Amino acid sequence: HPCRRHAPKRSRRERMLRKIQICLCFCFVSGLLYEISLLSSSVFSYLPVAQHYLTPEQVLNLGKSIIFLETTERLEPPPLVSCSVESAARIYQDRPIILFMRGLTNETALDMNTSYAAFSLLSSMKNVFIFPLQMETIFQETPLLQWYNQVVPEQEKNWVHVSSDASRLALIWKYGGIYMDTDVISIRPIPQRSFLAAQKSRFSSNGIFGFPAHHKFIWDCMENFVLKYNGNIWGNQGPFLMTRMLKTLCNLTDFQGTEDHSCQNISFLNPQRFYPIPYPAWGRYYQVWDKSPSFNHSYALHLWNFMNRNRKVVEAGSNTLAEKLYKTYCPTTYEDLIQNAKHRDLPSPEDTE
C-alpha cells in the first residue's frame, strides 16, 4: 500500500531533523558554558575596560584580585601609577588588576579615545579594570561604616591617606586578594596567600598585604581602626595599625638573613621581599648605579613615593635604577609615557627657525 510504503521515510526524516536540533542545542549550550568558564577562570577579554560593562562586584567576585587605590581626585594616573598597574598586569596575567579612582564617577565617560594617555594605556590591558572608588558602598557591612558616617573629611589633615587605609581593609576583607600601593613595581608573583610585609624587623607596612576574603585578622584590624582612630597621627590607621594587631598574635623578633616569619596562619614577609631599599635611602631608585642590584629575594619593589617631596621622575636616557625597572617591568608605560614625552618635548623645525 502506498501509505505504508512512504511512512518509514517520513519517520527517518523526522528522526534526522530531531538529531540536528539536538546537535544545535548541544553546540549552543557548549558555547555558553565555554564563555562562562572563560570568565570564571579569569581569562579576560581583550576589549578595553569601558566595553566590559562589568560591575566591580562581578570582577572582585572572581577572586584573587590585585587592588590599587587612588584616593585623590586626579583622573590622569602619573607614570609611576601606570607602571605599578602595568607591572602587576604582566606578572599576574590570570588575575584581575583593579584600579579604584576617587575622581572617577559612573557618569565619567573615559575610554580609549580619552585625552588622558595613562588612562587609555591601562584601559587597553586585557586584565586591567578601572572603577570609581565609592566608599559609601565599600564600607557597607563592615565596622568602618559607622566611622565613615561620622567623620568630616574636610577636617581631616590626612584624609587622602586615612581614607585609603580604610578602603583597602574593607575591600580585602570583603573580596580577598592582594592590595598594593600605587608606587609598588611587581617583579615576580607572591606565593603566599595570607601575608603582611615587614618594612623592617618587628614593624609591618600596610603598603602591600594579601588575605582570603573574610579573614579574621582583617576584621579585627577594622574594629581597631575605629576603636583607636586618630586622624592627626600619620600612619596610626595604616602601618602602626597592622603592627599593633600583629603583636597581639605573636611575639615579633628580628629577621635573620632572608627568611620569612610565620605568625599563626599569617606569613610575615622579610623586608627584602618588598623593601630591599629602605625608606631613608629611597633616593637611590633615582640614581645611576655602577651595577644594578638583582633583587633576587624580592617579589616587588616599593619606591617610597611619599618620601619623594621633590617629585623626582623617570627620564628617558637617564640610566637610573628606576628607568631600568620601567624598561623591564612596565615597558609600555616607559615607551608611551616616558619616551614619547621626550619626543613631544623636542622642538619642531619651525620652532628652531
Side-chain angles (χ1 to χ4, degrees), residues 85-123:
V85 176
E86 179 188 344
S87 65
R90 290 178 178 274
I91 296 297
Y92 304 95
Q93 295 185 23
D94 62 338
R95 302 175 69 161
I97 313 299
I98 307 176
L99 173 60
F100 285 99
M101 301 182 70
R102 182 63 178 170
L104 192 65
T105 67
N106 289 329
E107 290 74 34
T108 306
L110 292 174
D111 54 28
M112 290 288 289
N113 297 319
T114 180
S115 59
Y116 298 117
F119 193 98
S120 296
L121 184 156
L122 296 176
S123 297

Side-chain angles (χ1 to χ4, degrees), residues 199-217:
Q199 183 173 316
K200 59 182 180 179
S201 286
R202 309 187 190 202
F203 189 80
S204 176
S205 79
N206 75 328
I208 179 168
F209 61 92
F211 287 89
H214 301 149
H215 196 285
K216 184 178 184 300
F217 179 80

Side-chain angles (χ1 to χ4, degrees), residues 23 47 78 106-107 110 118 129 143 146 259 265 287 301 325 353:
C23 289
L47 293 175
N106 289 329
E107 290 74 34
L110 292 174
F129 298 82
Q146 180 182 1
E259 88 288 359
N265 66 342
Q287 295 175 358
L301 302 173
L325 294 174
E353 292 178 355

Side-chain angles (χ1 to χ4, degrees), residues 147 156 158-167 225 229-231 237:
W147 160 80
E156 297 284 331
N158 294 311
W159 178 247
V160 169
H161 301 287
V162 169
S163 60
S164 178
D165 292 335
S167 298
F225 183 107
Y229 182 75
N230 187 338
Q237 277 65 237

Side-chain angles (χ1 to χ4, degrees), residues 159-344:
W159 178 247
V160 169
H161 301 287
V162 169
S163 60
S164 178
D165 292 335
S167 298
R168 68 189 72 175
L169 289 172
L171 285 165
I172 295 299
W173 183 81
K174 282 187 170 183
Y175 304 104
I178 296 175
Y179 167 81
M180 293 185 184
D181 277 350
T182 53
D183 56 351
V184 172
I185 298 179
S186 297
I187 61 178
R188 58 179 55 90
I190 302 169
Q192 290 83 357
R193 192 176 179 205
S194 300
F195 71 89
L196 294 172
Q199 183 173 316
K200 59 182 180 179
S201 286
R202 309 187 190 202
F203 189 80
S204 176
S205 79
N206 75 328
I208 179 168
F209 61 92
F211 287 89
H214 301 149
H215 196 285
K216 184 178 184 300
F217 179 80
I218 299 298
W219 181 268
D220 292 342
C221 284
M222 291 190 293
E223 289 188 329
N224 190 271
F225 183 107
V226 177
L227 182 64
K228 301 290 186 179
Y229 182 75
N230 187 338
N232 294 321
I233 302 177
W234 187 91
N236 187 62
Q237 277 65 237
F240 292 105
L241 166 66
M242 293 295 202
T243 301
R244 65 176 176 261
M245 295 306 296
L246 191 60
K247 286 181 176 179
T248 64
L249 300 179
C250 297
N251 180 26
L252 303 183
T253 59
D254 291 339
F255 288 93
Q256 303 296 329
T258 59
E259 88 288 359
D260 298 320
H261 289 174
S262 180
C263 181
Q264 295 191 20
N265 66 342
I266 300 172
S267 296
F268 191 37
L269 301 186
N270 192 288
Q272 288 294 316
R273 304 293 179 240
F274 307 104
Y275 305 102
I277 296 180
Y279 76 89
W282 69 270
R284 300 201 68 191
Y285 281 113
Y286 297 94
Q287 295 175 358
V288 177
W289 291 51
D290 293 334
K291 182 181 179 181
S292 297
S294 62
F295 300 117
N296 287 335
H297 301 292
S298 301
Y299 301 136
L301 302 173
H302 194 289
L303 268 62
W304 304 107
N305 196 52
F306 178 72
M307 304 292 294
N308 192 359
R309 308 293 186 183
N310 296 325
R311 293 294 173 239
K312 294 180 182 293
V313 296
V314 171
E315 297 179 357
S318 62
N319 203 35
T320 61
L321 176 58
E323 184 190 17
K324 292 180 179 179
L325 294 174
Y326 274 50
K327 286 181 177 179
T328 303
Y329 301 107
C330 55
T332 305
T333 293
Y334 181 78
E335 292 293 335
D336 287 9
L337 302 185
I338 307 301
Q339 287 279 42
N340 290 345
K342 179 182 179 181
H343 296 319
R344 286 194 298 269

